[in-house]
């Protein structure tokens, strides 16, 4: 006999199969935790693939033309000449915010007016109802109005709206325009009017915030790359931008990739949660298998062989779980384009994605393998001596370096996965650290709970309470896994609620007390007195108006926009020279600002004196601008050289006329300007009437009503929140599955002692109470830990990200707390009902 | 006759709560191939620990165990597993059958671990010998205690071991079943010419072997041959 010959791989597979006979449903229960995580990943990957294909397919209709050139400032004659020479067909669009007045209902609304001339879009269409309206509105004094706004303002096709000085007939409802998303439409709903009426509206005066876009169609194929290379230097000088089909495709693909990467990371949390469930379940499974492994070792099996038998089981079951997850993900994927429609600039059709399914399967196998490996490596160390004395040994994490390697591999895997999504080393390290810290906090809370209960055990409590409490730390307890699983799910949901409350509170704060809540923009100098008079007719508090001058920054010391573009070592933000600056001048500071560095004089000393300006300190720091630097501005043709005299800290959260750049008096008084008026309107009725009269008499004046802004922000948060809730649902349901799996696994652990208690006389009611109390303690602590974790995260977000006050809304958190406790107890009792309702012997024979 | 087991200066200590606990101290004996022997003693005397060390299930603290001229203390756990598979058979008090394998599959495992083929007829034959020819497809949970111990015996003999270790083989069985099992062990042992080392509390059972080593407090207090000694 050949002594060196041993069992081959097929025997290991056979043994894995044999060993699984009595455990298959339980093994499947282990991996059921990862099904939802894999489903979420496959669904998101599929959506990503579908979107990428659609972007390729619809690239031209995203832009609507072969080339677009755009600018936020007046087009120079040189550029106009260049524009006239480009393309076979051309369209021009001018976009600006303005008030719209619905004649039928006497209501007003801030919209984005798009004055369109030409046949744009050349690819795709302006989707309208009726469908012909997208073309016919250009032929007369007609407009296309965003569909949501039509519904909100009870407007119908054929109604009349007024923009500036001109009334338009609503020719159609605008369903979609090239490159538009539901989200962008809800912030500033678009209204299309023919370009030829723009002048008559009176809204295109000098100084108005108009963005001009030119769209070009080339009938013959053109080398677009070469064309863009030719015109780019000229566009750069004029601060203009361009888009081609290719750049639009890249930009859209990149932003969609960002969306899917973000969603993948959220799904990944659900998957990780499931993996913790798998690891915990396998840990218990291995403990139950000590005897079988010891027998095999006793009969001559090597440690590696015993380990492989169980590894094969886990990988196969992990594969089956991943397969189920991939199938579920493919079903969920069908609904994602509907769920995310507000965020997508293209129509996405759900199509089967083999690569997404492949990635999901691979991820499922790798992750179930990695997370099962930590408890499985212990099998190598099970001594055959356990056949003689069970519980001969206890596993110690610290004694097995392989376990540490496995934990390192898990952290490495989390980082690698994050890196593949974010493509940023530091951010992915940060994300991994946050995940590890969150897990550690939850694991630490569980350990602390067990220690506290044991240390300060209430010996005088009623027996049932003591028994329920003691179950939290006794051997085979589920405290750690349940607190991690339920706590993490709760933390995600509570963080969502808290951040929503913080954001809304930040805006509501600005409208509280006697603070201003309405801003009137674009008041022309000749309208100033009349506007103030009108406001006073409504008894509104008005303390004059604030002048605003539009200008561009040409140089910081000797650095121009061109120099900045070419020299990547200069630490200034790209948009520094491209943006239009709205600047005011005054001789004193207002309550929302204070000088933090330098000196503010407020007045220019004589007509030829140095102009000392004051900058917002964050703006200056971000662009490496120091006190004493020279900033050269172009005020609509006139060049003004200034010196940075001081920095200010500005409270941007207050509704006041705050500015990045503040000029002293004696410089800009003769420059083209408009005025802004800030006031407070107490009632909605007064606000509506003022807006109506203002739009009728001063149609160029834009009114921002803070309550309307609040509605918009609330709407955006709801839409973003829906996506996060949708993704968080995977974590929550995974948490529930982990809970069910943990309870069912712990049932096998608990069953003997429950049956023993019943045998020695415990009533069903007493067992019921003990079980209910144990799960209540678990649910309550897990939910509380999750809530406190979320409060910590929300506090940090409020303080450092939004730089606002942290507020606590207890009601939604309490609802989450009560729901989580109830669900935990409910699931715990449902799964333990056999112990309560059936005769002890029957259960012992069947289960043990 | 050749020596199959040689134990010299064997001791075993454990660390428990910061203290050293000596379970076995200075054990010396050897066993001839084909002989039968019992290790007896009160609870906690170190019987099971001695069996574990002699069978290569554990490592001694000092001293040596030589099984079939192989020094077990110089081998790692996987090498000792291979030795157990090749030369040793076990019968335990609590049967130690794999609960997810049928009776027949349980019996075949030692030979499957060797990578041997066509083993089913041998397993079926042994199962018939222990009186369970028609129970091969049953799982341990479907068998009585006595039947499980018979399966365990068939498994112990399938690899034709040179030495058989039994740990209280009748400890979990009633008197009548015990008698049948003991008879079967001795018959199979005789037929196969295997060395038998039995740990037991039962002096009547111990007297059926050829030699009795008595342990107390981890030391050998007597080593006597019996009337059954050849």
């Amino acid at each position: 006999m050949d002594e060196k010959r041993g069992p081959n791989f097929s025997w290991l597979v056979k043994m894995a199969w044999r060993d699984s006979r009595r455990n298959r449903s339980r093994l499947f229960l282990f991996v059921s935790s990862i099904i939802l995580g894999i489903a979420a990943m496959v669904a998101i990957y599929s959506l990503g693939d579908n979107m990428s294909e659609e972007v390729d397919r619809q690239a031209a209709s995203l832009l609507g033309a072969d080339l677009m050139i755009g600018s936020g400032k007046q087009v120079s004659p040189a550029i106009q000449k260049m524009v006239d020479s480009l393309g076979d067909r051309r369209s021009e669009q001018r976009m600006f915010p303005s008030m719209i007045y619905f004649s039928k209902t006497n209501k007003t609304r801030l919209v984005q007016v798009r004055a369109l001339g030409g046949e744009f879009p050349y690819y795709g269409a302006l989707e309208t109802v009726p469908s012909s309206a997208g073309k016919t509105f250009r032929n007369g004094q007609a407009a296309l109005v965003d569909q949501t706004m039509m519904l909100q303002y009870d407007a119908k096709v054929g109604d009349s709206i007024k923009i500036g000085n001109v009334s338009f007939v609503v020719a159609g409802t605008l369903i979609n325009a090239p490159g538009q998303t539901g989200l962008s439409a809800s912030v500033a709903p678009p209204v299309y009017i023919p370009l030829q009426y723009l002048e008559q509206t009176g809204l295109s005066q000098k100084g108005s915030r108009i963005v001009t876009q030119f769209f070009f169609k080339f009938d013959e194929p053109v080398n677009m790359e070469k064309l863009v290379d030719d015109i780019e230097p000229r566009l750069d000088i004029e601060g203009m931008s361009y888009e081609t089909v290719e750049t639009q495709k890249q930009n859209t693909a990149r932003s969609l990739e960002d969306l899917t990467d973000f969603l993948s990371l959220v799904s990944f949390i659900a998957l990780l949660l499931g993996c913790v469930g798998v690891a915990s379940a396998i840990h218990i499974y291995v403990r139950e298998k000590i005897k079988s492994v010891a027998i095999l070792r006793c009969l001559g099996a090597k440690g590696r062989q015993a380990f492989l038998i169980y590894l094969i089981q886990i990988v196969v079951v992990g594969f089956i779980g991943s397969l189920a997850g991939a199938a579920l993900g493919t079903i969920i994927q069908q609904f994602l384009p509907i769920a995310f429609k507000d965020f997508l600039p293209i129509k996405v059709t759900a199509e089967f994605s083999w690569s997404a399914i492949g990635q999901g399967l691979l991820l499922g196998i790798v992750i179930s393998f990695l997370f099962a490996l930590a408890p499985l490596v212990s099998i190598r160390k099970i001594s055959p001596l356990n056949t003689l004395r069970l519980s001969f040994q206890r596993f110690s994490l610290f004694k097995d370096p392989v376990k540490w390697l496995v934990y390192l591999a898990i952290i490495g895997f989390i980082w690698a996965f994050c890196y593949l999504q974010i493509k940023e080393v530091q951010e992915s390290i940060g994300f991994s650290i946050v995940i590890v810290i969150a897990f550690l906090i939850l694991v630490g809370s569980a350990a602390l709970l067990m220690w506290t209960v044991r240390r300060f055990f209430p010996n005088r409590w009623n027996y049932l309470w003591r028994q329920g409490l003691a179950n939290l730390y006794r051997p085979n307890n589920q405290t750690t896994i349940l607190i991690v699983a339920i706590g993490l799910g709760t933390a995600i949901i509570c963080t969502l609620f808290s951040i929503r409350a913080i954001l809304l509170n930040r805006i509501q704060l600005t409208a509280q007390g006697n603070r201003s809540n309405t801003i009137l923009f674009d008041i022309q100098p000749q309208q100033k007195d009349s506007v103030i008079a009108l406001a006073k007719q409504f008894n509104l508090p008005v303390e004059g108006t604030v002048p605003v001058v539009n200008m561009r920054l040409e140089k910081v010391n000797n650095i121009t926009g061109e120099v900045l573009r070419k020299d990547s070592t200069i630490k200034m933000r790209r948009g520094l020279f491209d943006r239009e600056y709205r600047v005011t001048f005054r001789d004193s500071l207002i309550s929302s600002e204070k000088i933090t560095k330098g000196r503010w004089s407020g007045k220019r000393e004589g007509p030829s004196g140095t102009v000392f300006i004051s900058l917002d300190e964050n703006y200056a720091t971000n662009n490496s601008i120091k006190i004493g630097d020279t900033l050269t501005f172009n005020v609509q043709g006139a060049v003004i050289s200034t010196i940075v005299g001081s920095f200010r800290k500005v409270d941007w959260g207050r509704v006041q006329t705050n500015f990045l750049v503040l000029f002293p008096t004696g410089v800009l008084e003769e420059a083209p300007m408009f005025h802004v008026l800030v006031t407070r309107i107490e009632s909605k009725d007064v606000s509506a009437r003022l807006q109506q009269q203002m739009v009728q008499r001063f149609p160029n004046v834009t009114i921002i009503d803070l309550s309307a802004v609040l509605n918009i922000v609330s709407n955006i948060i709801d839409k973003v929140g829906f996506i996060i809730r949708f993704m968080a649902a995977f974590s929550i349901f995974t948490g529930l599955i982990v809970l069910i799996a943990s309870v069912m696994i712990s049932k096998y652990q608990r069953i003997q002692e429950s049956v023993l208690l019943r045998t020695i006389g415990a009533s069903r009611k007493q067992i019921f109470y003990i079980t209910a109390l144990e799960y209540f303690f678990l649910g309550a602590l897990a939910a509380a830990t999750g809530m406190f974790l979320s409060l910590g995260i929300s506090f940090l977000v409020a303080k450092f990200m939004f730089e606002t006050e942290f507020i606590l809304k207890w009601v939604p958190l309490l609802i989450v707390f009560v729901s989580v406790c109830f669900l935990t107890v409910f699931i715990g009792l449902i799964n333990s009902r056999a112990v309560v309702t059936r005769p002890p012997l029957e259960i012992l024979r069947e289960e043990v | 006759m050749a020596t199959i087991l040689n134990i010299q200066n064997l001791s075993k200590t454990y660390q428990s709560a910061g203290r050293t606990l000596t379970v076995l101290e200075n054990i010396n004996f050897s066993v001839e191939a084909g002989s039968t022997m019992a290790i007896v003693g009160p609870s906690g005397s170190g019987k099971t620990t001695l069996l574990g060390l002699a069978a290569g299930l554990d490592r001694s603290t000092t001293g040596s165990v030589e099984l079939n001229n192989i020094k077990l203390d110089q081998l790692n756990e996987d090498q000792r597993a291979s030795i157990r598979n090749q030369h040793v058979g076990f019968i335990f008090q609590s049967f130690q059958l794999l609960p997810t394998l049928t009776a027949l599959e349980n019996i075949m495992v030692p030979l499957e671990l060797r990578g041997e083929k066509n083993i089913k007829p041998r397993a079926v034959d042994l199962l018939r010998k222990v009186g369970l020819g028609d129970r091969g497809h049953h799982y341990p949970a479907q068998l009585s205690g006595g039947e499980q111990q018979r399966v365990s015996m068939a498994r112990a003999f399938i690899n034709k071991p040179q030495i058989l270790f039994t740990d209280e083989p009748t400890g979990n069985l009633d008197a009548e079943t015990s008698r049948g099992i003991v008879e079967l062990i001795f018959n199979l042992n005789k037929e196969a010419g295997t060395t038998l080392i039995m740990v037991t509390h039962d002096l009547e059972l111990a007297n059926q072997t050829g030699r009795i080593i008595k342990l107390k407090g981890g030391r050998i207090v007597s080593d006597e041959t019996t009337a059954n000694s050849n």
Side-chain angles (χ1 to χ4, degrees), chain A residues 1-8 10-11 14-15 18-23 289 291-293 295-305 310 380 382-389 392, chain B residues 14 23 48-49 51-53 56-58 77-79 81-82 84-87 90 92 94 96-102 105-106 108-110 112-117 139 141 155 167:
Chain A
M1 186 167 46
D2 177 7
E3 298 221 345
K4 286 189 178 167
R5 200 176 55 181
N8 53 23
S10 67
W11 181 79
K14 196 200 280 181
M15 276 305 285
R18 285 170 175 171
D19 185 83
S20 71
R21 277 174 186 150
R22 285 180 71 199
N23 308 304
K289 288 291 175 184
K291 192 175 147 189
S292 294
V293 174
I295 294 170
L296 278 172
R297 301 281 278 139
C298 199
L299 297 176
K302 295 185 170 72
R304 188 175 51 87
Q305 290 166 341
Y310 293 97
R380 294 158 34 255
I382 292 176
S383 164
L385 212 54
N386 281 289
T387 48
L388 297 175
R389 289 198 179 95
F392 158 76
Chain B
Y14 292 104
V23 183
T48 304
T49 306
L51 179 100
L53 291 169
L57 297 177
D58 199 5
E77 174 46 44
D78 280 349
Q79 288 166 327
S82 179
R84 288 195 295 271
N85 182 254
Q86 300 298 326
H87 306 292
F90 289 98
F92 301 97
S94 49
Q96 304 292 22
L97 297 176
L98 291 163
T100 53
L101 270 60
T102 62
E105 287 167 347
N106 262 292
M108 292 193 297
V109 167
E112 287 177 338
L113 277 165
R114 289 183 182 179
E116 287 192 25
K117 306 284 178 199
Y139 289 98
R155 183 182 65 186
D167 180 27

Side-chain angles (χ1 to χ4, degrees), chain A residues 233-532:
Chain A
R234 276 183 282 172
L235 295 176
D236 273 352
I237 293 167
E238 299 277 344
M240 296 185 82
S241 62
Y242 70 89
E243 288 277 10
T244 65
V245 172
E246 197 51 40
T247 61
Q248 178 78 3
K249 195 161 92 177
Q250 284 165 4
N251 292 340
T252 311
R254 197 162 36 237
S255 60
L256 291 177
E257 210 173 283
D258 288 346
L259 175 72
T260 50
D261 285 350
F262 164 73
L263 296 174
S264 309
L265 283 180
V266 181
S267 315
F268 189 54
I269 292 174
L271 192 56
L272 281 179
L273 196 58
C275 289
V276 174
V278 170
S280 160
I282 300 296
H283 183 73
I284 294 168
Y285 187 63
V286 168
R287 264 202 306 226
E288 289 176 10
K289 288 291 175 184
I290 289 176
K291 192 175 147 189
S292 294
V293 174
I295 294 170
L296 278 172
R297 301 281 278 139
C298 199
L299 297 176
K302 295 185 170 72
R304 188 175 51 87
Q305 290 166 341
F307 165 74
L308 282 174
I309 288 170
Y310 293 97
L311 187 66
I312 289 166
Q313 280 184 0
I314 301 305
V315 169
V316 169
V317 179
F319 176 73
I320 294 168
S322 308
L323 213 54
L328 184 62
T330 308
I331 295 168
I332 292 170
Q333 174 215 352
Q334 308 302 314
F335 301 99
L336 287 188
I338 303 164
F340 295 165
K341 68 178 190 306
D342 283 336
F343 295 87
L344 306 178
I346 47 170
K347 274 195 182 135
V348 177
T349 319
E351 281 171 21
F352 207 60
S353 166
W354 281 112
S355 81
I357 290 170
Q359 285 178 76
L361 287 179
L362 187 68
L363 188 64
I365 293 168
V366 169
I367 211 161
S368 54
F369 167 78
L370 257 184
F371 278 78
L373 209 53
L376 274 183
V377 291
S378 303
I379 285 179
R380 294 158 34 255
K381 300 282 180 187
I382 292 176
S383 164
L385 212 54
N386 281 289
T387 48
L388 297 175
R389 289 198 179 95
L390 204 54
S391 303
F392 158 76
Q393 64 186 152
R394 284 185 175 276
F395 305 120
S396 169
L397 168 73
F398 302 99
K399 284 183 183 164
D400 191 353
V402 177
K403 266 202 168 176
W404 282 109
L405 284 178
V406 173
Y407 287 117
L408 277 178
I410 288 172
I411 294 172
F413 172 78
I414 293 172
W415 173 80
F417 183 87
C418 298
Y419 178 73
L420 286 175
Q421 309 304 315
I422 313 173
K423 312 272 188 314
E424 294 282 342
V425 176
Q426 283 190 335
E427 284 177 21
S428 46
I429 289 175
F431 186 83
S432 311
I433 289 174
V434 167
I435 286 181
V436 171
I437 288 176
F439 273 85
L440 287 179
I441 288 176
L442 289 163
V443 171
S445 306
L448 185 68
L449 170 81
M450 288 190 276
W451 180 85
T452 311
V453 171
R454 196 194 291 251
R455 176 78 179 75
F456 304 102
F457 194 76
N459 288 310
R460 291 183 180 180
W461 280 17
N462 167 297
Y463 170 74
L464 300 181
W465 282 78
R466 276 187 285 133
Q467 189 74 9
L469 207 55
N471 280 349
L472 295 178
Y473 64 78
R474 285 158 58 194
N476 301 325
N477 67 71
Q478 294 295 296
T479 307
T480 305
I481 177 59
L482 286 190
I483 284 182
V484 171
I486 304 170
L488 207 58
T490 312
I492 294 171
I493 289 284
C494 290
T495 306
L496 198 70
F497 278 125
S498 294
I499 290 178
R500 184 181 194 280
I502 288 166
L503 284 177
L504 290 181
N505 181 63
R506 190 185 183 199
I507 299 158
Q508 278 162 346
L509 265 181
T510 60
Q512 277 173 3
N514 292 321
R515 289 183 182 177
S516 311
N517 63 1
T518 306
I519 307 168
L520 283 72
F521 276 107
D522 288 341
I523 304 166
Q524 298 303 310
Q526 66 276 15
Q527 297 172 321
K528 195 177 91 176
D529 295 335
S530 311
V531 169
I532 291 173

Side-chain angles (χ1 to χ4, degrees), chain A residues 605-625:
Chain A
E605 289 178 3
S608 56
T610 310
V611 181
F612 288 104
I613 58 168
S614 181
L615 301 182
D616 170 63
E617 63 175 358
N618 286 338
Y619 163 78
T621 314
N622 291 339
N623 291 294
S624 309
I625 299 173

Side-chain angles (χ1 to χ4, degrees), chain A residues 692-709:
Chain A
Q692 284 160 22
Q693 291 209 23
M694 204 59 86
V695 173
Q696 294 278 25
R697 287 180 57 190
F698 311 106
N700 59 300
V701 174
T702 304
I703 303 163
I704 297 179
D705 174 2
L706 210 64
S707 62
V709 173

Side-chain angles (χ1 to χ4, degrees), chain A residues 551 611 631-635 638-642 663 667-668:
Chain A
M551 57 182 72
V611 181
L631 268 60
T632 309
F633 290 95
N634 183 331
V635 186
V639 175
I640 300 176
S641 182
T642 67
F663 268 63
V667 186
L668 297 173

